[in-house]
Amino acid sequence: MERLRSSPLHANISTALDKHLESIHMVQTQRKDEIVSASSRQRHGPPRCQDERVVLALAVALRALCLATRKVRTVLWCAFQMTLPK
């Protein structure tokens, strides 16, 4: 979009994209932790409290991803509108 516009976009656009990517990485990390926790629970028996913390951490990461996705969709729409010819 910056190439189409021949000028840099607002700094909030790149910030929102960075935050969205960071949220994606956080969900991936939490999901890996959940998988490891589930596989170790099958081997050693059910430690319920630890398992609930892992699931809650994943839920928090998913909520942050949802919010970041909404924001980045809005920011990209605004950036698209700025690149359209007048």
Side-chain angles (χ1 to χ4, degrees):
M1 283 189 244
E2 290 176 336
R3 289 182 187 153
L4 292 173
R5 203 168 162 224
S6 301
S7 65
L9 295 171
H10 197 274
N12 288 346
I13 295 171
S14 61
T15 302
L17 289 169
D18 290 341
K19 184 150 180 94
H20 187 252
L21 184 61
E22 179 183 321
S23 297
I24 290 170
H25 290 308
M26 183 59 71
V27 169
Q28 288 174 338
T29 302
Q30 295 300 327
R31 180 68 178 129
K32 286 177 187 174
D33 291 346
E34 182 193 25
I35 291 169
V36 167
S37 175
S39 67
S40 68
R41 184 181 59 172
Q42 288 177 347
R43 285 187 240 145
H44 301 294
R48 282 308 265 185
C49 187
Q50 183 69 7
D51 188 42
E52 289 175 1
R53 281 190 227 140
V54 171
V55 172
L56 287 175
L58 178 61
V60 168
L62 282 171
R63 183 174 189 272
L65 178 61
C66 180
L67 294 173
T69 301
R70 277 191 226 150
K71 184 166 185 159
V72 85
R73 280 177 34 203
T74 303
V75 163
L76 287 174
W77 182 83
C78 292
F80 172 69
Q81 294 298 316
M82 290 189 314
T83 58
L84 290 176
K86 293 181 182 177

Coordinates of all heavy atoms in Angstrom, one line a residue:
M1 N 0.8 -1.2 0.0 CA 0.0 0.0 0.0 C 0.9 1.3 0.0 O 0.5 2.3 -0.6 CB -0.9 0.0 1.2 CG -2.1 -0.9 1.0 SD -3.3 -0.7 2.3 CE -3.3 -2.3 3.0
E2 N 2.0 1.1 0.7 CA 2.9 2.3 0.7 C 3.4 2.6 -0.7 O 3.6 3.7 -1.1 CB 4.0 2.1 1.6 CG 3.6 2.1 3.1 CD 4.7 1.8 4.0 OE1 5.7 1.1 3.6 OE2 4.6 2.2 5.2
R3 N 3.7 1.5 -1.5 CA 4.1 1.7 -2.9 C 3.1 2.4 -3.7 O 3.4 3.2 -4.6 CB 4.6 0.4 -3.5 CG 5.8 -0.1 -2.9 CD 6.2 -1.4 -3.6 NE 7.3 -2.0 -2.9 CZ 7.6 -3.3 -2.8 NH1 6.8 -4.1 -3.5 NH2 8.6 -3.7 -2.2
L4 N 1.8 2.0 -3.6 CA 0.7 2.6 -4.3 C 0.6 4.1 -4.0 O 0.2 4.9 -4.8 CB -0.6 1.9 -4.1 CG -0.7 0.4 -4.6 CD1 -2.0 -0.2 -4.1 CD2 -0.6 0.4 -6.1
R5 N 0.8 4.4 -2.7 CA 0.6 5.7 -2.2 C 1.8 6.6 -2.5 O 1.7 7.8 -2.4 CB 0.3 5.6 -0.8 CG -0.5 6.8 -0.3 CD -1.0 6.5 1.1 NE -1.3 7.8 1.6 CZ -1.1 8.2 2.8 NH1 -0.5 7.4 3.7 NH2 -1.4 9.4 3.2
S6 N 2.9 6.0 -2.6 CA 4.2 6.7 -2.8 C 4.6 7.5 -1.6 O 5.4 8.5 -1.7 CB 4.2 7.7 -4.0 OG 3.9 6.9 -5.2
S7 N 4.1 7.1 -0.4 CA 4.5 7.8 0.8 C 4.2 6.8 2.0 O 3.4 5.9 1.8 CB 3.8 9.1 1.1 OG 2.4 8.8 1.2
P8 N 4.9 6.9 3.1 CA 4.7 6.0 4.2 C 3.3 6.2 4.8 O 2.8 7.3 4.8 CB 5.8 6.3 5.1 CG 6.3 7.6 4.8 CD 6.0 7.9 3.3
L9 N 2.8 5.1 5.3 CA 1.5 5.1 6.0 C 1.7 5.5 7.5 O 2.9 5.6 7.9 CB 0.9 3.7 5.9 CG 0.4 3.3 4.5 CD1 0.0 1.8 4.6 CD2 -0.7 4.2 4.0
H10 N 0.7 5.8 8.1 CA 0.7 6.2 9.5 C 1.4 5.2 10.4 O 1.3 4.0 10.1 CB -0.7 6.5 10.0 CG -0.7 7.3 11.3 ND1 -0.6 6.7 12.5 CD2 -0.8 8.6 11.5 CE1 -0.7 7.7 13.4 NE2 -0.8 8.9 12.8
A11 N 2.1 5.6 11.4 CA 2.8 4.7 12.3 C 1.9 3.7 13.0 O 2.3 2.6 13.4 CB 3.6 5.5 13.3
N12 N 0.6 4.1 13.3 CA -0.3 3.2 14.0 C -0.6 1.9 13.2 O -0.9 0.9 13.7 CB -1.6 3.9 14.3 CG -1.5 4.9 15.4 OD1 -0.5 4.9 16.1 ND2 -2.4 5.8 15.5
I13 N -0.5 2.0 11.9 CA -0.7 0.9 11.0 C 0.3 -0.2 11.2 O 0.0 -1.4 11.5 CB -0.8 1.3 9.5 CG1 -2.0 2.2 9.3 CG2 -0.9 0.1 8.6 CD1 -2.1 2.9 8.0
S14 N 1.6 0.2 11.2 CA 2.6 -0.8 11.4 C 2.6 -1.3 12.9 O 2.9 -2.5 13.1 CB 4.0 -0.3 11.1 OG 4.3 0.8 11.9
T15 N 2.2 -0.5 13.8 CA 2.1 -0.9 15.2 C 1.0 -1.9 15.4 O 1.2 -2.9 16.1 CB 1.8 0.3 16.1 OG1 2.9 1.3 15.9 CG2 1.7 -0.1 17.6
A16 N -0.1 -1.7 14.7 CA -1.2 -2.7 14.8 C -0.9 -4.0 14.2 O -1.2 -5.1 14.7 CB -2.5 -2.1 14.2
L17 N -0.2 -4.0 13.1 CA 0.3 -5.2 12.4 C 1.3 -6.0 13.3 O 1.2 -7.2 13.4 CB 0.9 -4.9 11.1 CG -0.1 -4.5 10.0 CD1 0.6 -3.9 8.8 CD2 -1.0 -5.6 9.6
D18 N 2.2 -5.2 13.9 CA 3.2 -5.9 14.8 C 2.5 -6.5 16.0 O 2.8 -7.6 16.4 CB 4.2 -4.9 15.3 CG 5.2 -4.4 14.2 OD1 5.3 -5.1 13.2 OD2 5.8 -3.3 14.4
K19 N 1.5 -5.8 16.6 CA 0.8 -6.4 17.7 C 0.0 -7.6 17.3 O -0.1 -8.6 18.1 CB -0.2 -5.3 18.3 CG -0.9 -5.7 19.6 CD -1.2 -4.6 20.5 CE -1.9 -5.0 21.7 NZ -1.0 -5.3 22.8
H20 N -0.6 -7.6 16.1 CA -1.3 -8.8 15.7 C -0.4 -10.0 15.5 O -0.7 -11.1 15.9 CB -2.0 -8.4 14.3 CG -2.9 -9.5 13.8 ND1 -2.6 -10.3 12.7 CD2 -4.1 -9.9 14.2 CE1 -3.6 -11.1 12.5 NE2 -4.5 -10.9 13.4
L21 N 0.8 -9.7 14.9 CA 1.8 -10.8 14.8 C 2.2 -11.3 16.1 O 2.4 -12.5 16.3 CB 3.0 -10.3 14.0 CG 4.0 -11.4 13.6 CD1 3.4 -12.5 12.8 CD2 5.2 -10.7 12.9
E22 N 2.4 -10.4 17.1 CA 2.8 -10.8 18.4 C 1.7 -11.7 19.1 O 2.0 -12.7 19.8 CB 3.1 -9.6 19.3 CG 3.5 -9.8 20.7 CD 3.6 -8.5 21.4 OE1 4.1 -7.5 20.9 OE2 3.2 -8.4 22.6
S23 N 0.5 -11.3 18.9 CA -0.6 -12.1 19.4 C -0.7 -13.5 18.8 O -1.0 -14.5 19.5 CB -2.0 -11.4 19.2 OG -2.0 -10.1 19.8
I24 N -0.4 -13.6 17.5 CA -0.4 -14.9 16.9 C 0.7 -15.8 17.5 O 0.4 -16.9 17.8 CB -0.2 -14.7 15.3 CG1 -1.4 -14.1 14.7 CG2 0.1 -16.1 14.7 CD1 -1.2 -13.7 13.3
H25 N 1.8 -15.2 17.7 CA 2.9 -16.0 18.3 C 2.6 -16.4 19.7 O 2.9 -17.5 20.1 CB 4.2 -15.2 18.3 CG 4.8 -15.0 16.9 ND1 5.1 -16.0 16.0 CD2 5.2 -13.9 16.3 CE1 5.6 -15.6 14.9 NE2 5.7 -14.3 15.0
M26 N 1.9 -15.6 20.4 CA 1.5 -15.9 21.8 C 0.5 -17.1 21.8 O 0.6 -18.0 22.6 CB 0.9 -14.7 22.5 CG 0.6 -14.9 24.0 SD 1.9 -15.4 25.0 CE 2.8 -13.9 25.1
V27 N -0.5 -17.0 20.9 CA -1.4 -18.1 20.8 C -0.7 -19.4 20.5 O -1.0 -20.5 21.0 CB -2.6 -17.8 19.8 CG1 -3.4 -19.0 19.6 CG2 -3.4 -16.7 20.4
Q28 N 0.2 -19.4 19.5 CA 1.0 -20.5 19.1 C 1.7 -21.1 20.3 O 1.8 -22.3 20.5 CB 1.9 -20.2 18.0 CG 1.2 -20.0 16.7 CD 2.2 -19.6 15.6 OE1 3.2 -19.0 15.8 NE2 1.7 -19.7 14.3
T29 N 2.4 -20.3 21.1 CA 3.1 -20.7 22.2 C 2.2 -21.4 23.3 O 2.5 -22.4 23.8 CB 3.9 -19.5 22.9 OG1 4.8 -19.0 21.9 CG2 4.7 -20.0 24.1
Q30 N 1.1 -20.7 23.6 CA 0.2 -21.2 24.6 C -0.4 -22.6 24.1 O -0.7 -23.5 24.9 CB -1.0 -20.2 24.9 CG -0.5 -19.0 25.5 CD 0.2 -19.2 26.8 OE1 -0.1 -20.1 27.6 NE2 1.2 -18.4 27.1
R31 N -0.7 -22.7 22.8 CA -1.2 -23.9 22.3 C -0.2 -25.1 22.4 O -0.6 -26.2 22.8 CB -1.6 -23.7 20.8 CG -2.2 -24.9 20.2 CD -3.6 -25.3 20.7 NE -4.1 -26.5 20.0 CZ -4.5 -27.6 20.6 NH1 -4.6 -27.7 21.9 NH2 -4.9 -28.6 19.9
K32 N 1.0 -24.8 22.1 CA 2.1 -25.8 22.3 C 2.2 -26.2 23.8 O 2.3 -27.4 24.1 CB 3.4 -25.3 21.8 CG 3.5 -25.2 20.3 CD 4.9 -24.6 19.9 CE 4.9 -24.3 18.4 NZ 6.1 -23.6 18.0
D33 N 2.1 -25.3 24.7 CA 2.1 -25.6 26.1 C 0.9 -26.5 26.5 O 1.0 -27.4 27.3 CB 2.1 -24.3 27.0 CG 3.4 -23.5 26.9 OD1 4.4 -24.1 26.4 OD2 3.4 -22.4 27.3
E34 N -0.3 -26.2 25.9 CA -1.4 -27.0 26.2 C -1.3 -28.4 25.7 O -1.6 -29.4 26.4 CB -2.7 -26.4 25.5 CG -3.9 -27.1 25.8 CD -5.1 -26.7 25.0 OE1 -4.9 -26.2 23.9 OE2 -6.2 -26.9 25.4
I35 N -0.7 -28.6 24.5 CA -0.5 -29.9 24.0 C 0.5 -30.7 24.8 O 0.3 -31.9 25.1 CB 0.0 -29.8 22.5 CG1 -1.1 -29.3 21.6 CG2 0.6 -31.1 22.0 CD1 -0.6 -28.9 20.2
V36 N 1.6 -30.0 25.3 CA 2.6 -30.7 26.1 C 1.9 -31.1 27.5 O 2.1 -32.2 28.0 CB 3.8 -29.8 26.4 CG1 4.7 -30.3 27.5 CG2 4.6 -29.6 25.1
S37 N 1.1 -30.2 28.0 CA 0.4 -30.5 29.3 C -0.6 -31.7 29.1 O -0.6 -32.5 30.0 CB -0.4 -29.3 29.7 OG -1.1 -29.5 30.9
A38 N -1.3 -31.7 28.0 CA -2.2 -32.8 27.8 C -1.5 -34.1 27.6 O -2.0 -35.2 28.1 CB -3.1 -32.5 26.6
S39 N -0.4 -34.1 26.9 CA 0.3 -35.4 26.7 C 1.0 -35.8 28.0 O 1.0 -37.0 28.3 CB 1.4 -35.2 25.6 OG 2.4 -34.3 26.0
S40 N 1.5 -34.9 28.8 CA 2.1 -35.4 30.1 C 1.0 -35.8 31.1 O 1.3 -36.7 31.9 CB 2.9 -34.2 30.7 OG 2.1 -33.2 31.1
R41 N -0.2 -35.3 31.0 CA -1.3 -35.7 31.9 C -1.7 -37.1 31.6 O -2.0 -37.9 32.5 CB -2.5 -34.7 31.7 CG -3.6 -35.0 32.6 CD -4.7 -34.1 32.4 NE -5.2 -34.3 31.0 CZ -6.3 -33.8 30.5 NH1 -7.0 -33.0 31.2 NH2 -6.6 -34.0 29.3
Q42 N -1.6 -37.5 30.3 CA -2.0 -38.9 30.0 C -1.0 -39.9 30.5 O -1.3 -41.0 30.9 CB -2.1 -39.0 28.4 CG -3.3 -38.4 27.8 CD -3.3 -38.5 26.3 OE1 -2.3 -38.9 25.7 NE2 -4.4 -38.2 25.7
R43 N 0.3 -39.5 30.7 CA 1.3 -40.4 31.2 C 1.3 -40.5 32.7 O 1.5 -41.5 33.3 CB 2.7 -39.9 30.7 CG 2.9 -40.2 29.3 CD 4.4 -39.8 28.9 NE 4.3 -38.8 27.9 CZ 5.1 -37.8 27.7 NH1 6.1 -37.7 28.5 NH2 5.0 -37.0 26.7
H44 N 1.1 -39.3 33.4 CA 1.3 -39.3 34.8 C 0.0 -39.1 35.6 O 0.1 -39.1 36.8 CB 2.2 -38.1 35.2 CG 3.5 -38.1 34.5 ND1 4.5 -39.1 34.8 CD2 4.1 -37.4 33.5 CE1 5.6 -38.9 34.0 NE2 5.4 -37.9 33.3
G45 N -1.1 -39.1 35.0 CA -2.3 -38.9 35.8 C -2.8 -37.4 35.7 O -2.1 -36.6 35.2
P46 N -3.9 -37.2 36.3 CA -4.5 -35.8 36.1 C -4.2 -34.8 37.2 O -4.8 -34.7 38.2 CB -6.0 -36.1 36.2 CG -6.2 -37.3 37.0 CD -4.9 -38.1 36.9
P47 N -3.2 -34.0 37.0 CA -3.0 -32.8 37.9 C -3.9 -31.7 37.4 O -3.6 -30.9 36.5 CB -1.5 -32.4 37.7 CG -1.2 -32.9 36.4 CD -2.0 -34.1 36.1
R48 N -5.1 -31.5 37.9 CA -6.2 -30.7 37.3 C -5.8 -29.2 37.4 O -6.1 -28.4 36.5 CB -7.5 -30.9 38.1 CG -8.3 -32.1 37.7 CD -8.5 -32.1 36.2 NE -9.7 -31.6 35.8 CZ -10.1 -31.6 34.6 NH1 -9.4 -32.2 33.6 NH2 -11.2 -31.1 34.2
C49 N -5.2 -28.7 38.5 CA -5.0 -27.3 38.7 C -4.0 -26.8 37.6 O -4.3 -25.7 37.1 CB -4.5 -27.1 40.1 SG -4.3 -25.3 40.5
Q50 N -3.0 -27.5 37.4 CA -2.0 -27.0 36.4 C -2.6 -27.0 35.0 O -2.4 -26.1 34.2 CB -0.8 -28.0 36.4 CG 0.3 -27.5 35.5 CD 1.0 -26.3 35.9 OE1 0.8 -25.8 37.0 NE2 1.9 -25.8 35.1
D51 N -3.5 -28.0 34.7 CA -4.1 -28.1 33.4 C -5.1 -26.9 33.2 O -5.1 -26.3 32.1 CB -4.9 -29.4 33.3 CG -5.4 -29.6 31.9 OD1 -4.6 -29.4 30.9 OD2 -6.5 -30.1 31.7
E52 N -5.8 -26.5 34.2 CA -6.7 -25.4 34.1 C -6.0 -24.1 33.9 O -6.4 -23.2 33.1 CB -7.6 -25.3 35.4 CG -8.6 -26.4 35.5 CD -9.3 -26.4 36.8 OE1 -9.1 -25.5 37.6 OE2 -10.2 -27.2 37.0
R53 N -4.8 -23.9 34.5 CA -4.0 -22.7 34.2 C -3.5 -22.6 32.8 O -3.5 -21.5 32.2 CB -2.8 -22.7 35.2 CG -3.2 -22.3 36.6 CD -1.9 -22.0 37.4 NE -2.1 -22.7 38.6 CZ -1.2 -23.4 39.3 NH1 0.0 -23.4 38.8 NH2 -1.5 -24.0 40.4
V54 N -3.2 -23.7 32.2 CA -2.7 -23.8 30.8 C -3.9 -23.4 29.9 O -3.7 -22.6 29.0 CB -2.1 -25.1 30.5 CG1 -1.8 -25.3 29.0 CG2 -0.9 -25.4 31.3
V55 N -5.0 -23.9 30.2 CA -6.2 -23.6 29.3 C -6.6 -22.2 29.5 O -7.0 -21.5 28.5 CB -7.4 -24.6 29.7 CG1 -8.7 -24.2 29.0 CG2 -7.0 -26.0 29.3
L56 N -6.6 -21.6 30.7 CA -6.9 -20.2 30.9 C -5.9 -19.3 30.2 O -6.3 -18.3 29.7 CB -7.0 -19.9 32.4 CG -8.2 -20.5 33.1 CD1 -8.2 -20.2 34.6 CD2 -9.5 -19.9 32.6
A57 N -4.6 -19.7 30.3 CA -3.6 -18.9 29.6 C -3.9 -18.8 28.1 O -3.7 -17.8 27.4 CB -2.2 -19.4 29.9
L58 N -4.3 -20.0 27.5 CA -4.7 -20.0 26.1 C -5.9 -19.2 25.8 O -5.9 -18.5 24.8 CB -4.9 -21.5 25.7 CG -5.3 -21.7 24.2 CD1 -4.3 -21.2 23.3 CD2 -5.6 -23.2 24.0
A59 N -6.8 -19.2 26.7 CA -8.0 -18.4 26.5 C -7.7 -16.9 26.5 O -8.2 -16.1 25.7 CB -9.1 -18.7 27.6
V60 N -6.8 -16.5 27.4 CA -6.4 -15.1 27.5 C -5.7 -14.7 26.2 O -5.9 -13.6 25.6 CB -5.5 -14.8 28.7 CG1 -4.8 -13.5 28.7 CG2 -6.3 -15.0 30.0
A61 N -4.8 -15.6 25.7 CA -4.1 -15.3 24.5 C -5.0 -15.2 23.3 O -4.9 -14.4 22.4 CB -3.0 -16.4 24.2
L62 N -6.1 -16.1 23.2 CA -7.0 -16.0 22.2 C -7.9 -14.7 22.2 O -8.2 -14.2 21.2 CB -8.0 -17.2 22.2 CG -7.4 -18.5 21.7 CD1 -8.3 -19.7 22.0 CD2 -7.2 -18.4 20.2
R63 N -8.2 -14.3 23.4 CA -8.9 -13.0 23.5 C -8.1 -11.9 23.0 O -8.6 -11.0 22.3 CB -9.3 -12.8 25.0 CG -10.1 -11.5 25.2 CD -10.6 -11.4 26.6 NE -11.6 -10.3 26.7 CZ -11.2 -9.0 27.0 NH1 -10.0 -8.7 27.1 NH2 -12.2 -8.1 27.0
A64 N -6.8 -11.8 23.4 CA -5.9 -10.8 22.9 C -5.8 -10.9 21.3 O -5.7 -9.8 20.7 CB -4.5 -10.9 23.5
L65 N -5.7 -12.1 20.8 CA -5.7 -12.2 19.3 C -7.0 -11.7 18.7 O -6.9 -11.0 17.6 CB -5.4 -13.7 19.0 CG -5.4 -14.0 17.5 CD1 -4.3 -13.2 16.8 CD2 -5.3 -15.5 17.2
C66 N -8.1 -12.0 19.3 CA -9.4 -11.5 18.8 C -9.4 -10.0 18.7 O -9.8 -9.4 17.7 CB -10.5 -12.0 19.6 SG -12.1 -11.5 19.1
L67 N -9.0 -9.3 19.8 CA -9.0 -7.9 19.8 C -8.0 -7.3 18.8 O -8.3 -6.3 18.1 CB -8.6 -7.4 21.2 CG -9.6 -7.7 22.3 CD1 -9.1 -7.3 23.7 CD2 -11.0 -7.0 22.0
A68 N -6.8 -7.9 18.7 CA -5.8 -7.4 17.8 C -6.3 -7.6 16.3 O -6.0 -6.8 15.5 CB -4.5 -8.2 18.0
T69 N -7.0 -8.7 16.1 CA -7.5 -9.0 14.7 C -8.5 -7.9 14.3 O -8.5 -7.4 13.2 CB -8.1 -10.4 14.6 OG1 -7.1 -11.3 15.0 CG2 -8.7 -10.7 13.2
R70 N -9.4 -7.6 15.3 CA -10.4 -6.5 15.0 C -9.7 -5.2 14.7 O -10.1 -4.5 13.7 CB -11.3 -6.4 16.2 CG -12.4 -7.3 16.2 CD -13.5 -6.9 17.2 NE -13.8 -8.1 18.0 CZ -14.2 -8.1 19.2 NH1 -14.3 -7.0 19.9 NH2 -14.5 -9.2 19.9
K71 N -8.7 -4.9 15.5 CA -8.1 -3.6 15.3 C -7.3 -3.6 13.9 O -7.3 -2.6 13.2 CB -7.1 -3.3 16.4 CG -6.4 -2.0 16.3 CD -5.7 -1.6 17.5 CE -5.2 -0.2 17.3 NZ -5.0 0.5 18.6
V72 N -6.6 -4.7 13.6 CA -5.8 -4.7 12.4 C -6.8 -4.7 11.2 O -6.4 -4.1 10.1 CB -4.8 -5.9 12.4 CG1 -5.4 -7.2 11.9 CG2 -3.6 -5.5 11.5
R73 N -7.9 -5.3 11.3 CA -8.9 -5.2 10.1 C -9.3 -3.8 9.9 O -9.4 -3.3 8.7 CB -10.1 -6.1 10.4 CG -9.9 -7.6 10.2 CD -11.0 -8.4 10.5 NE -12.3 -7.8 10.3 CZ -13.4 -8.2 10.9 NH1 -13.4 -9.2 11.8 NH2 -14.6 -7.6 10.6
T74 N -9.6 -3.1 11.0 CA -10.0 -1.7 10.8 C -8.9 -0.8 10.3 O -9.1 0.0 9.4 CB -10.4 -1.1 12.2 OG1 -11.5 -1.9 12.7 CG2 -10.9 0.3 12.1
V75 N -7.7 -1.0 10.8 CA -6.5 -0.3 10.3 C -6.2 -0.5 8.9 O -5.9 0.4 8.1 CB -5.3 -0.6 11.2 CG1 -4.0 -0.2 10.6 CG2 -5.5 0.0 12.6
L76 N -6.3 -1.8 8.4 CA -6.0 -2.1 7.0 C -7.1 -1.5 6.1 O -6.8 -1.1 5.0 CB -5.9 -3.6 6.9 CG -4.6 -4.3 7.4 CD1 -4.7 -5.8 7.3 CD2 -3.4 -3.7 6.7
W77 N -8.4 -1.5 6.6 CA -9.4 -0.9 5.8 C -9.1 0.6 5.6 O -9.3 1.2 4.6 CB -10.8 -1.1 6.5 CG -11.9 -0.5 5.7 CD1 -12.5 -1.1 4.6 CD2 -12.5 0.8 5.9 NE1 -13.5 -0.3 4.1 CE2 -13.5 0.9 4.9 CE3 -12.3 1.8 6.8 CZ2 -14.3 2.0 4.8 CZ3 -13.1 2.9 6.7 CH2 -14.1 3.0 5.7
C78 N -8.7 1.3 6.7 CA -8.4 2.7 6.6 C -7.2 2.9 5.7 O -7.2 3.8 4.9 CB -8.0 3.2 8.0 SG -9.4 3.3 9.1
A79 N -6.2 2.1 5.8 CA -5.0 2.2 4.9 C -5.4 2.0 3.5 O -5.0 2.7 2.6 CB -4.0 1.2 5.3
F80 N -6.3 1.0 3.2 CA -6.8 0.8 1.9 C -7.6 2.1 1.4 O -7.4 2.5 0.2 CB -7.7 -0.4 1.8 CG -8.4 -0.6 0.5 CD1 -7.7 -1.0 -0.6 CD2 -9.8 -0.5 0.4 CE1 -8.4 -1.2 -1.8 CE2 -10.4 -0.7 -0.8 CZ -9.7 -1.0 -1.9
Q81 N -8.4 2.7 2.2 CA -9.1 3.8 1.8 C -8.2 5.0 1.5 O -8.5 5.8 0.6 CB -10.1 4.2 2.9 CG -11.3 3.3 3.1 CD -12.1 3.1 1.9 OE1 -12.5 4.0 1.2 NE2 -12.4 1.8 1.6
M82 N -7.1 5.1 2.2 CA -6.1 6.2 1.9 C -5.4 6.0 0.6 O -4.9 6.9 0.0 CB -5.1 6.3 3.1 CG -5.8 6.8 4.3 SD -4.6 7.2 5.7 CE -3.5 5.8 5.8
T83 N -5.3 4.7 0.2 CA -4.5 4.4 -1.1 C -5.4 4.6 -2.3 O -4.9 4.6 -3.4 CB -3.9 3.0 -1.1 OG1 -4.9 2.1 -0.9 CG2 -2.9 2.9 0.1
L84 N -6.7 4.6 -2.2 CA -7.6 4.7 -3.3 C -7.4 6.1 -4.0 O -7.2 7.1 -3.3 CB -9.0 4.5 -2.9 CG -9.4 3.1 -2.5 CD1 -10.9 3.1 -2.0 CD2 -9.3 2.1 -3.6
P85 N -7.5 6.1 -5.3 CA -7.4 7.4 -6.0 C -8.6 8.3 -5.6 O -9.7 7.8 -5.4 CB -7.3 7.1 -7.4 CG -7.9 5.7 -7.5 CD -7.7 5.0 -6.2
K86 N -8.4 9.6 -5.6 CA -9.5 10.5 -5.3 C -10.2 10.9 -6.5 O -9.8 11.0 -7.6 CB -8.9 11.7 -4.5 CG -8.4 11.3 -3.2 CD -7.8 12.4 -2.4 CE -7.2 11.9 -1.1 NZ -6.6 12.9 -0.3

